[in-house]
Each structure stands twice: as C-alpha cells, then as structure tokens.
C-alpha cells in the first residue's frame, strides 16, 4: 500500500542512511523520534524516501579501506543522486524534503538544482554554508582519522574524531548538568566524567562506520556552498539557539536570502545540534507547517 501517498525525502546527518525507522524495532533506524506510525513523518500519510550517502559507509559507492583519496563529494552530488533515485522510481517531483544537519544542506542543494522536482523544504540545523569555526573543529577531526589510517589504526583515529565531534554536537548547559562532578584517578592520571562519555561514544561509532567514509562526508559538509537566492520553493527552517555548529546567525542569513517564501522557527534545546534527534514535541509544529501548511 501507500502507492498514492505523497513522497517525502528524509535526510539526516553524515551518519544517517536509508534506514529511517523500523516498525518491528521502535529504536532501530536513525530517526525514531520523528519517523514512524503516528509521528510527524508518518508512513500512513507519506511515502518516505531515504538514501545511503555517496561517499559514506552504506551500500552507495564510498571509499575503500585505506582510501583517503576518494573523489570530493559535495551536497550537490548527493542531490543528483536523489534525483537519479527518483527517476528510477518514476517520481517526477517530491512533495517535500525533510533534511536535518547534513541532510538539510542537501535539501537546499536539491532545491537549487531541481526547483521543479520538490514542492517544499523542511531544513533543521542545516545551512547554505559551513561557518569557519565549525570547519576548524571538523578539520582537526579529519586529521585525527588520517593520522590513524596512516598508522594502520583508522578505527583509533575515528574514535578520537568522534569524541571531539560529540563535544560540538551538544550544549554547554547539558555538559554542565551531566559532567560537573569530580574526576577519578588512575595513578597520577585524572579521568574526568566527560571523558568516559566522549570516548564511549567514540568507541561505539568506530565500531560501526568506516574511517575513510567519515573523512569524505565530513569534508562534504565543509564544501557546502549554496546561494540562498537559488532556493525558491517554500522553506521552513528550524534553528537551535544552542547549536554550536550551525549557528542561529547562519540560519538567519539563510532565511534572509531565500528567493522563495520562508519561515524560520527558533527553538531552545540543551541538546544543541543534536536537537533534531531528540526534540519530538518541540519540532512537531515545524514538521506540520512544512509538510501540510504554508510558510
């Protein structure tokens, strides 16, 4: 069933893939807070289209083990991939693209390249450009992975990169609340509570993703350059005030430059950039407006 339902492209961060949600396992998929029966991205109301990123760890073409010279990929390449998938499925146009983080960047690129093939956008914490401070953090992450790969320990490099990345995804307020207690000592070494969290997340990530794919897609974020004046479809944007990576200023600049109708919704979240994964209740009105209303 569902053949007559409108199609929504659903795109997430660089770790996301085609597995948006699972009916069988409520926690499976990368967006279980927002996608699934009874949720804003309801498969009873929409057909949901997800992809594995070009250059990523999925089944779409990506770098081989040890390959750090995989051709540069940017958001426009991902947009062309989505268009090719839509062609294969016989879809002339998508009802909408709901993109968060890197997926929001790709949504903007798609609308700029294929303005007649998408009717509306929802862009959560994804901008038309990468700001230099965020690029600085990601540059160090990529170099940590390259350092590890060069020494035969790509997973170790990715562990460090992901640990640093986690410190940028969340907010200062959340870290203050969770990790302000005193360190424990291993001999002369102080181990701070936040270390356990960061490196546990790094270990988990390194077990599931290819280091070379992380380098490819991290770089793709920093190659983002879309002129907002090329985006003419109705666009609902969500900015998280506490987001360290895609700042409120970035999102306001995007909203101000759009060629078409736009609505910027500003929210607060202790989860910072990761709010798109966590804040169902706060985000639901933006989804309703983007998918059913007019900006």
């Amino acid at each position: 069933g569902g053949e007559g339902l409108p199609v929504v492209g659903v795109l997430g961060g660089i770790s996301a893939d085609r597995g948006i949600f699972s009916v069988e396992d409520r926690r499976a998929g990368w967006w279980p807070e927002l996608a699934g029966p009874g949720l804003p991205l309801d498969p009873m109301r929409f057909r949901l289209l997800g992809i594995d990123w070009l250059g990523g760890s999925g089944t779409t073409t990506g770098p081989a083990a040890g390959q750090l010279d995989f051709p540069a990929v940017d958001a426009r390449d991902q947009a062309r991939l989505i268009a090719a998938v839509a062609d294969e499925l016989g879809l002339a146009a998508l009802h909408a693209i709901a993109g968060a983080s890197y997926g929001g960047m790709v949504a903007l690129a798609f609308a700029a390249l294929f303005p007649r093939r998408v009717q509306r956008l929802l862009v959560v914490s994804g901008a038309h450009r990468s700001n230099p401070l965020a690029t600085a953090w990601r540059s160090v992450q990529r170099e940590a992975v390259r350092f590890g790969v060069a020494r035969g320990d790509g997973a170790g490099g990715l562990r460090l990169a992901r640990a640093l990345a986690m410190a940028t995804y969340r907010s200062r307020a959340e870290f203050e609340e969770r990790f302000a207690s005193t360190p424990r000592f291993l001999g002369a070494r102080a181990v701070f509570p936040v270390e356990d969290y960061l490196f546990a997340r790094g270990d988990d990530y390194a077990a599931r993703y290819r280091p070379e794919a992380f380098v490819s897609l991290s770089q793709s974020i920093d190659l983002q350059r879309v002129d907002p004046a090329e985006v003419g479809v109705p666009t609902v944007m969500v900015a998280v005030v506490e987001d360290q990576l895609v700042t409120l200023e970035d999102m306001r600049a995007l909203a101000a430059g759009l060629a078409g109708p736009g609505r910027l919704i500003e929210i607060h979240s202790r989860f910072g950039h990761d709010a798109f994964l966590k804040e169902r209740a706060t985000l639901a009105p933006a989804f309703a407006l983007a998918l059913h209303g007019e900006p």
Side-chain angles (χ1 to χ4, degrees):
E3 287 78 7
L5 296 175
V7 179
V8 176
V10 182
L11 309 175
I14 64 172
S15 305
D17 55 25
R18 69 178 72 185
I20 303 164
F21 77 98
S22 169
V23 174
E24 292 76 23
D25 180 358
R26 178 66 187 83
R27 302 310 303 175
W30 62 266
W31 220 357
E33 284 293 313
L34 277 302
L39 297 177
L41 292 167
D42 191 334
M44 304 303 292
R45 304 184 71 177
F46 305 105
R47 285 182 289 168
L48 306 181
L49 174 63
I51 66 165
D52 291 340
W53 295 126
L54 178 66
S57 285
T59 56
T60 301
T61 303
Q67 183 184 9
L68 291 174
D69 62 348
F70 189 77
V73 173
D74 67 20
R76 284 182 171 84
D77 296 314
Q78 309 290 4
R80 294 184 185 100
L81 174 63
I82 294 166
V85 171
D87 288 343
E88 187 69 20
L89 296 174
L91 300 173
L94 304 178
H95 172 69
I97 297 177
S101 188
Y102 182 59
M105 294 179 162
V106 175
L108 293 167
F110 189 96
L113 285 174
F114 307 107
R116 294 178 179 83
R117 300 200 66 175
V118 63
Q119 296 174 17
R120 49 182 67 198
L121 299 184
L122 171 63
V123 177
V124 183
S125 294
H128 56 296
R129 61 182 282 273
S130 172
N131 73 68
L133 182 56
T135 299
W137 287 326
R138 281 188 290 265
S139 296
V140 176
Q141 294 164 30
R142 293 192 290 270
E143 195 61 19
V145 176
R146 295 185 188 107
F147 186 88
V149 170
R151 285 149 185 80
D153 186 16
L158 184 56
R159 172 182 182 263
L160 295 175
R162 180 65 171 186
L164 174 57
M166 288 303 303
T168 70
Y169 294 155
R170 300 297 181 88
S171 71
R172 178 173 178 170
E174 188 200 16
F175 275 45
E176 181 72 33
E177 180 181 321
R178 294 178 62 185
F179 305 118
S181 57
T182 57
R184 69 183 193 277
F185 279 84
L186 297 177
R189 179 185 169 183
V191 181
F192 295 88
V194 72
E195 291 183 68
D196 292 324
Y197 167 76
L198 293 178
F199 290 110
R201 299 285 68 76
D203 287 335
D204 179 64
Y205 193 84
R208 293 182 292 129
Y209 294 95
R210 292 205 302 273
E212 302 81 6
F214 174 88
V215 171
S216 173
L217 291 179
S218 171
Q219 176 177 274
S220 187
I221 296 172
D222 289 319
L223 291 173
Q224 173 75 340
R225 296 291 186 276
V226 172
D227 183 352
E230 296 178 355
V231 178
V233 303
T235 301
V236 173
M237 295 147 284
V238 179
V240 181
V241 174
E242 294 80 6
D243 192 336
Q244 300 184 83
L245 293 175
V246 182
T247 66
L248 181 60
E249 290 77 16
D250 294 332
M251 296 300 292
R252 285 176 174 172
L254 167 63
L258 289 174
R263 168 82 178 272
L264 176 63
I265 299 171
E266 299 177 6
I267 68 171
H268 288 276
S269 173
R270 63 196 285 269
F271 297 111
H273 187 71
D274 274 355
F276 77 92
L277 297 169
K278 303 284 188 179
E279 300 280 13
R280 179 195 307 171
T282 306
L283 290 171
F287 277 75
L289 182 63
L291 299 177
H292 306 290
E294 291 296 335

